């Protein structure tokens, strides 16, 4: 429970700029209440996180999109000053192989190219550069990019509304699935995973995957219906 509550705190502390103040206040109160609730369990914390996930996912998603774009355009601008010349030149040669700053951040392609000491220095520089980039993006979406950012948030709320409808449909499908209880459990589990993606308890929500899940489970339901009774021996009267 404590680890889940810690994720909730990070989720709250990492809220991007311009999230409405009433949501901030409600999340802070929910956190305080859970911390002081001796009867709180993992399920209770997760339910609270999902509830707020529906409130803030569009803000987080829009902010993440701005970060990704800014890193592509400005990432090296913030990284180069934090590297010694020799390591900076080696990074530029690394880029000549078709790699990018996102590859550096993932670490995997760089394991054999950089020495252990270089990777340590590079890791520290990447952390510092990301902080600089975060500050830059936060400033942009609070000023010059504010209108465009808010428009994107509105678009994402529309997408989220479609996601809600699809998830409600899946829940209803599970509730009506009397013949195949295992399928009902599978549907409910998938819905939970999607909702956890709204609040950092699972990989980020993919709204296309939600749409595809509806078609997938419709197909599974039909297939199981066709297979029903296939292993039952036929009795033939002679």
């Amino acid at each position: 429970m404590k680890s889940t509550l810690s994720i909730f705190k990070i989720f709250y502390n990492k809220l991007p700029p311009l999230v409405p103040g009433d949501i901030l206040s409600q999340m802070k109160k929910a956190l305080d209440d859970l911390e002081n609730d001796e009867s709180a369990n993992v399920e209770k914390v997760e339910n609270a996180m999902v509830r707020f996930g529906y409130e803030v996912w569009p803000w987080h998603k829009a902010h993440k999109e701005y970060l990704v774009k800014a890193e592509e355009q400005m990432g090296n601008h913030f990284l180069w000053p934090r590297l010694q010349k020799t390591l900076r030149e080696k990074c530029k040669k690394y880029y000549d192989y078709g790699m990018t700053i996102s590859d550096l951040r993932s670490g995997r392609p760089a394991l054999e190219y950089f020495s252990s000491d270089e990777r340590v220095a590079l890791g520290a520089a990447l952390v510092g550069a990301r902080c600089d980039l975060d500050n830059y993006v936060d400033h942009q979406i609070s000023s010059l990019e504010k209108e465009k950012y808010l428009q994107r948030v509105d678009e994402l709320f529309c997408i989220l509304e479609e996601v809600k409808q699809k998830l409600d449909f899946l829940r209803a499908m599970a509730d009506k699935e009397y013949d195949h209880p295992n399928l009902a459990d599978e549907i409910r589990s998938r819905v939970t995973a999607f909702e956890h993606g709204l609040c950092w308890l699972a990989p980020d929500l993919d709204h296309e995957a939600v749409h595809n899940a509806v078609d997938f489970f419709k197909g599974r339901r039909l297939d199981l219906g066709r297979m029903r009774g296939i292993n039952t021996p036929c009795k033939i009267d002679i």
Side-chain angles (χ1 to χ4, degrees), residues 161-179:
E161 187 58 37
E162 294 176 2
V163 167
K164 287 181 184 178
Q165 293 174 9
K166 293 288 192 298
L167 295 181
D168 287 342
F169 180 89
L170 287 170
R171 287 192 190 91
M173 182 187 293
D175 291 341
K176 295 175 183 177
E177 189 50 73
Y178 306 112
D179 295 330

Side-chain angles (χ1 to χ4, degrees), residues 89-158:
E89 293 304 316
K90 191 168 184 178
C91 283
K92 290 179 180 179
K93 291 180 180 178
Y94 176 77
Y95 286 178
D96 289 340
Y97 290 102
M99 302 299 181
T100 65
I101 190 170
S102 63
D103 294 309
L104 280 178
R105 191 174 298 285
S106 72
R108 292 186 299 275
L111 285 176
E112 296 182 1
Y113 186 80
F114 296 98
S115 69
S116 58
D117 289 341
E118 287 172 337
R119 291 199 299 271
V120 170
L122 190 55
L126 285 166
V127 170
R130 187 54 181 261
C131 289
D132 294 339
L133 188 72
D134 285 345
N135 292 333
Y136 168 78
V137 168
D138 287 354
H139 175 74
Q140 289 295 102
I141 63 179
S142 298
S143 54
L144 298 176
E145 294 285 323
K146 182 177 180 180
E147 184 176 347
K148 187 177 178 181
Y149 171 69
L150 292 176
Q151 181 180 350
R152 181 55 180 158
V153 171
D154 287 341
E155 292 171 355
L156 288 165
F157 266 112
C158 291

Side-chain angles (χ1 to χ4, degrees), residues 186-197:
E186 186 181 349
I187 294 171
R188 292 189 182 100
S189 178
R190 187 73 63 88
V191 169
T192 297
F194 285 138
E195 290 191 321
H196 282 183

Side-chain angles (χ1 to χ4, degrees), residues 76-91:
N76 294 326
H77 170 79
F78 294 111
L79 177 61
W80 295 153
R82 292 180 172 274
L83 297 176
Q84 293 184 353
K85 183 178 179 181
T86 53
L87 184 53
R88 183 165 63 246
E89 293 304 316
K90 191 168 184 178
C91 283

